[in-house]
PDB file of all heavy atoms in Angstrom:
ATOM      1  N   ILE A 201      44.697  31.027  32.226  1.00 96.00           N
ATOM      2  CA  ILE A 201      43.652  31.266  31.196  1.00 96.00           C
ATOM      3  C   ILE A 201      42.740  30.059  31.143  1.00 96.00           C
ATOM      4  O   ILE A 201      43.163  28.930  30.932  1.00 96.00           O
ATOM      5  CB  ILE A 201      44.308  31.513  29.832  1.00 96.00           C
ATOM      6  CG1 ILE A 201      45.212  32.751  29.857  1.00 96.00           C
ATOM      7  CG2 ILE A 201      43.204  31.677  28.745  1.00 96.00           C
ATOM      8  CD1 ILE A 201      45.988  32.959  28.580  1.00 96.00           C
ATOM      9  N   LEU A 203      39.168  28.298  29.537  1.00 96.00           N
ATOM     10  CA  LEU A 203      38.169  28.286  28.451  1.00 96.00           C
ATOM     11  C   LEU A 203      37.229  27.121  28.665  1.00 96.00           C
ATOM     12  O   LEU A 203      37.658  26.006  28.899  1.00 96.00           O
ATOM     13  CB  LEU A 203      38.856  28.157  27.087  1.00 96.00           C
ATOM     14  CG  LEU A 203      39.971  29.216  26.775  1.00 96.00           C
ATOM     15  CD1 LEU A 203      40.643  28.884  25.440  1.00 96.00           C
ATOM     16  CD2 LEU A 203      39.367  30.602  26.723  1.00 96.00           C
ATOM     17  N   ILE A 223      52.325  30.973  23.648  1.00 95.00           N
ATOM     18  CA  ILE A 223      51.089  30.851  24.449  1.00 95.00           C
ATOM     19  C   ILE A 223      49.900  30.494  23.546  1.00 95.00           C
ATOM     20  O   ILE A 223      49.104  29.619  23.835  1.00 95.00           O
ATOM     21  CB  ILE A 223      50.842  32.128  25.241  1.00 95.00           C
ATOM     22  CG1 ILE A 223      51.963  32.350  26.254  1.00 95.00           C
ATOM     23  CG2 ILE A 223      49.476  32.071  25.926  1.00 95.00           C
ATOM     24  CD1 ILE A 223      51.880  33.706  26.947  1.00 95.00           C
ATOM     25  N   ALA A 224      49.793  31.228  22.404  1.00 94.00           N
ATOM     26  CA  ALA A 224      48.709  30.955  21.441  1.00 94.00           C
ATOM     27  C   ALA A 224      48.792  29.553  20.915  1.00 94.00           C
ATOM     28  O   ALA A 224      47.781  28.848  20.760  1.00 94.00           O
ATOM     29  CB  ALA A 224      48.754  31.975  20.316  1.00 94.00           C
ATOM     30  N   ARG A 225      50.004  29.113  20.563  1.00 94.00           N
ATOM     31  CA  ARG A 225      50.197  27.741  20.030  1.00 94.00           C
ATOM     32  C   ARG A 225      49.838  26.670  21.055  1.00 94.00           C
ATOM     33  O   ARG A 225      49.136  25.703  20.745  1.00 94.00           O
ATOM     34  CB  ARG A 225      51.628  27.549  19.592  1.00 94.00           C
ATOM     35  CG  ARG A 225      51.889  26.204  18.929  1.00 94.00           C
ATOM     36  CD  ARG A 225      53.303  26.120  18.328  1.00 94.00           C
ATOM     37  NE  ARG A 225      54.309  26.214  19.396  1.00 94.00           N
ATOM     38  CZ  ARG A 225      55.117  27.219  19.596  1.00 94.00           C
ATOM     39  NH1 ARG A 225      55.008  28.328  18.794  1.00 94.00           N
ATOM     40  NH2 ARG A 225      55.999  27.233  20.561  1.00 94.00           N
ATOM     41  N   ASP A 226      50.247  26.891  22.310  1.00 94.00           N
ATOM     42  CA  ASP A 226      49.907  25.945  23.360  1.00 94.00           C
ATOM     43  C   ASP A 226      48.413  25.849  23.590  1.00 94.00           C
ATOM     44  O   ASP A 226      47.844  24.752  23.803  1.00 94.00           O
ATOM     45  CB  ASP A 226      50.622  26.299  24.665  1.00 94.00           C
ATOM     46  CG  ASP A 226      52.131  26.102  24.578  1.00 94.00           C
ATOM     47  OD1 ASP A 226      52.558  25.390  23.648  1.00 94.00           O
ATOM     48  OD2 ASP A 226      52.859  26.602  25.445  1.00 94.00           O
ATOM     49  N   LEU A 227      47.739  27.025  23.539  1.00 95.00           N
ATOM     50  CA  LEU A 227      46.311  27.016  23.755  1.00 95.00           C
ATOM     51  C   LEU A 227      45.595  26.300  22.615  1.00 95.00           C
ATOM     52  O   LEU A 227      44.673  25.545  22.859  1.00 95.00           O
ATOM     53  CB  LEU A 227      45.811  28.459  23.835  1.00 95.00           C
ATOM     54  CG  LEU A 227      45.992  29.202  25.169  1.00 95.00           C
ATOM     55  CD1 LEU A 227      45.637  30.680  24.992  1.00 95.00           C
ATOM     56  CD2 LEU A 227      45.124  28.558  26.210  1.00 95.00           C
ATOM     57  N   ARG A 228      46.019  26.510  21.374  1.00 94.00           N
ATOM     58  CA  ARG A 228      45.411  25.827  20.197  1.00 94.00           C
ATOM     59  C   ARG A 228      45.566  24.285  20.351  1.00 94.00           C
ATOM     60  O   ARG A 228      44.643  23.552  20.090  1.00 94.00           O
ATOM     61  CB  ARG A 228      46.007  26.311  18.930  1.00 94.00           C
ATOM     62  CG  ARG A 228      45.695  27.746  18.612  1.00 94.00           C
ATOM     63  CD  ARG A 228      46.151  28.123  17.197  1.00 94.00           C
ATOM     64  NE  ARG A 228      46.106  29.573  16.978  1.00 94.00           N
ATOM     65  CZ  ARG A 228      47.136  30.380  16.970  1.00 94.00           C
ATOM     66  NH1 ARG A 228      48.364  29.902  17.174  1.00 94.00           N
ATOM     67  NH2 ARG A 228      47.004  31.663  16.768  1.00 94.00           N
ATOM     68  N   LEU A 231      43.217  23.030  23.044  1.00 94.00           N
ATOM     69  CA  LEU A 231      41.843  23.016  22.573  1.00 94.00           C
ATOM     70  C   LEU A 231      41.616  21.893  21.594  1.00 94.00           C
ATOM     71  O   LEU A 231      40.520  21.228  21.640  1.00 94.00           O
ATOM     72  CB  LEU A 231      41.497  24.360  21.907  1.00 94.00           C
ATOM     73  CG  LEU A 231      41.445  25.587  22.843  1.00 94.00           C
ATOM     74  CD1 LEU A 231      41.374  26.881  22.025  1.00 94.00           C
ATOM     75  CD2 LEU A 231      40.233  25.465  23.752  1.00 94.00           C
ATOM     76  N   LEU A 238      37.036  26.010  19.407  1.00 95.00           N
ATOM     77  CA  LEU A 238      37.360  27.370  19.717  1.00 95.00           C
ATOM     78  C   LEU A 238      38.717  27.699  19.057  1.00 95.00           C
ATOM     79  O   LEU A 238      39.621  26.889  18.953  1.00 95.00           O
ATOM     80  CB  LEU A 238      37.457  27.635  21.207  1.00 95.00           C
ATOM     81  CG  LEU A 238      36.205  27.369  22.041  1.00 95.00           C
ATOM     82  CD1 LEU A 238      36.509  27.569  23.536  1.00 95.00           C
ATOM     83  CD2 LEU A 238      35.067  28.242  21.613  1.00 95.00           C
ATOM     84  N   GLY A 239      38.851  29.000  18.681  1.00 94.00           N
ATOM     85  CA  GLY A 239      40.096  29.473  18.168  1.00 94.00           C
ATOM     86  C   GLY A 239      40.611  30.671  18.977  1.00 94.00           C
ATOM     87  O   GLY A 239      39.813  31.433  19.574  1.00 94.00           O
ATOM     88  N   VAL A 240      41.941  30.816  19.065  1.00 95.00           N
ATOM     89  CA  VAL A 240      42.552  31.920  19.825  1.00 95.00           C
ATOM     90  C   VAL A 240      43.587  32.586  18.995  1.00 95.00           C
ATOM     91  O   VAL A 240      44.259  31.989  18.152  1.00 95.00           O
ATOM     92  CB  VAL A 240      43.125  31.390  21.139  1.00 95.00           C
ATOM     93  CG1 VAL A 240      42.074  30.829  22.036  1.00 95.00           C
ATOM     94  CG2 VAL A 240      44.213  30.355  20.882  1.00 95.00           C
ATOM     95  N   ARG A 241      43.797  33.864  19.268  1.00 95.00           N
ATOM     96  CA  ARG A 241      44.890  34.653  18.629  1.00 95.00           C
ATOM     97  C   ARG A 241      45.130  35.894  19.446  1.00 95.00           C
ATOM     98  O   ARG A 241      44.200  36.404  20.169  1.00 95.00           O
ATOM     99  CB  ARG A 241      44.571  35.007  17.197  1.00 95.00           C
ATOM    100  CG  ARG A 241      43.572  36.158  17.021  1.00 95.00           C
ATOM    101  CD  ARG A 241      43.537  36.650  15.581  1.00 95.00           C
ATOM    102  NE  ARG A 241      42.767  37.853  15.435  1.00 95.00           N
ATOM    103  CZ  ARG A 241      41.467  37.839  15.209  1.00 95.00           C
ATOM    104  NH1 ARG A 241      40.780  36.708  15.061  1.00 95.00           N
ATOM    105  NH2 ARG A 241      40.834  39.023  15.087  1.00 95.00           N
ATOM    106  N   PHE A 242      46.341  36.377  19.394  1.00 95.00           N
ATOM    107  CA  PHE A 242      46.680  37.643  20.052  1.00 95.00           C
ATOM    108  C   PHE A 242      46.660  38.749  19.044  1.00 95.00           C
ATOM    109  O   PHE A 242      47.216  38.637  17.920  1.00 95.00           O
ATOM    110  CB  PHE A 242      48.045  37.554  20.731  1.00 95.00           C
ATOM    111  CG  PHE A 242      48.074  36.816  22.026  1.00 95.00           C
ATOM    112  CD1 PHE A 242      48.471  35.491  22.082  1.00 95.00           C
ATOM    113  CD2 PHE A 242      47.660  37.460  23.183  1.00 95.00           C
ATOM    114  CE1 PHE A 242      48.427  34.834  23.298  1.00 95.00           C
ATOM    115  CE2 PHE A 242      47.659  36.781  24.403  1.00 95.00           C
ATOM    116  CZ  PHE A 242      48.063  35.469  24.469  1.00 95.00           C
ATOM    117  N   LEU A 248      44.028  39.222  23.943  1.00 96.00           N
ATOM    118  CA  LEU A 248      43.697  37.876  23.526  1.00 96.00           C
ATOM    119  C   LEU A 248      42.262  37.807  22.998  1.00 96.00           C
ATOM    120  O   LEU A 248      41.361  38.230  23.711  1.00 96.00           O
ATOM    121  CB  LEU A 248      43.897  36.874  24.646  1.00 96.00           C
ATOM    122  CG  LEU A 248      43.503  35.410  24.345  1.00 96.00           C
ATOM    123  CD1 LEU A 248      44.388  34.813  23.268  1.00 96.00           C
ATOM    124  CD2 LEU A 248      43.593  34.585  25.642  1.00 96.00           C
ATOM    125  N   THR A 249      42.095  37.289  21.791  1.00 96.00           N
ATOM    126  CA  THR A 249      40.762  37.120  21.207  1.00 96.00           C
ATOM    127  C   THR A 249      40.448  35.642  21.178  1.00 96.00           C
ATOM    128  O   THR A 249      41.246  34.801  20.682  1.00 96.00           O
ATOM    129  CB  THR A 249      40.673  37.707  19.772  1.00 96.00           C
ATOM    130  OG1 THR A 249      40.825  39.100  19.846  1.00 96.00           O
ATOM    131  CG2 THR A 249      39.352  37.352  19.117  1.00 96.00           C
ATOM    132  N   VAL A 250      39.267  35.297  21.649  1.00 96.00           N
ATOM    133  CA  VAL A 250      38.780  33.893  21.636  1.00 96.00           C
ATOM    134  C   VAL A 250      37.501  33.889  20.858  1.00 96.00           C
ATOM    135  O   VAL A 250      36.573  34.721  21.104  1.00 96.00           O
ATOM    136  CB  VAL A 250      38.497  33.363  23.043  1.00 96.00           C
ATOM    137  CG1 VAL A 250      38.072  31.900  23.012  1.00 96.00           C
ATOM    138  CG2 VAL A 250      39.734  33.543  23.939  1.00 96.00           C
ATOM    139  N   ALA A 251      37.392  32.992  19.863  1.00 96.00           N
ATOM    140  CA  ALA A 251      36.184  32.947  19.007  1.00 96.00           C
ATOM    141  C   ALA A 251      35.787  31.503  18.825  1.00 96.00           C
ATOM    142  O   ALA A 251      36.587  30.551  18.746  1.00 96.00           O
ATOM    143  CB  ALA A 251      36.480  33.585  17.669  1.00 96.00           C
ATOM    144  N   ARG A 253      34.258  28.465  16.552  1.00 92.00           N
ATOM    145  CA  ARG A 253      34.422  28.141  15.140  1.00 92.00           C
ATOM    146  C   ARG A 253      33.123  27.982  14.418  1.00 92.00           C
ATOM    147  O   ARG A 253      33.109  27.911  13.132  1.00 92.00           O
ATOM    148  CB  ARG A 253      35.246  26.847  15.006  1.00 92.00           C
ATOM    149  CG  ARG A 253      36.636  26.974  15.547  1.00 92.00           C
ATOM    150  CD  ARG A 253      37.487  25.762  15.201  1.00 92.00           C
ATOM    151  NE  ARG A 253      38.801  25.823  15.737  1.00 92.00           N
ATOM    152  CZ  ARG A 253      39.833  26.522  15.262  1.00 92.00           C
ATOM    153  NH1 ARG A 253      39.651  27.193  14.144  1.00 92.00           N
ATOM    154  NH2 ARG A 253      41.013  26.487  15.843  1.00 92.00           N
TER     155      ARG A 253
END
Side-chain angles (χ1 to χ4, degrees):
I201 298 174
L203 306 175
I223 295 171
R225 184 174 64 251
D226 289 347
L227 281 171
R228 293 190 191 103
L231 291 169
L238 299 178
V240 296
R241 76 168 188 270
F242 281 99
L248 177 63
T249 294
V250 183
R253 297 189 183 279

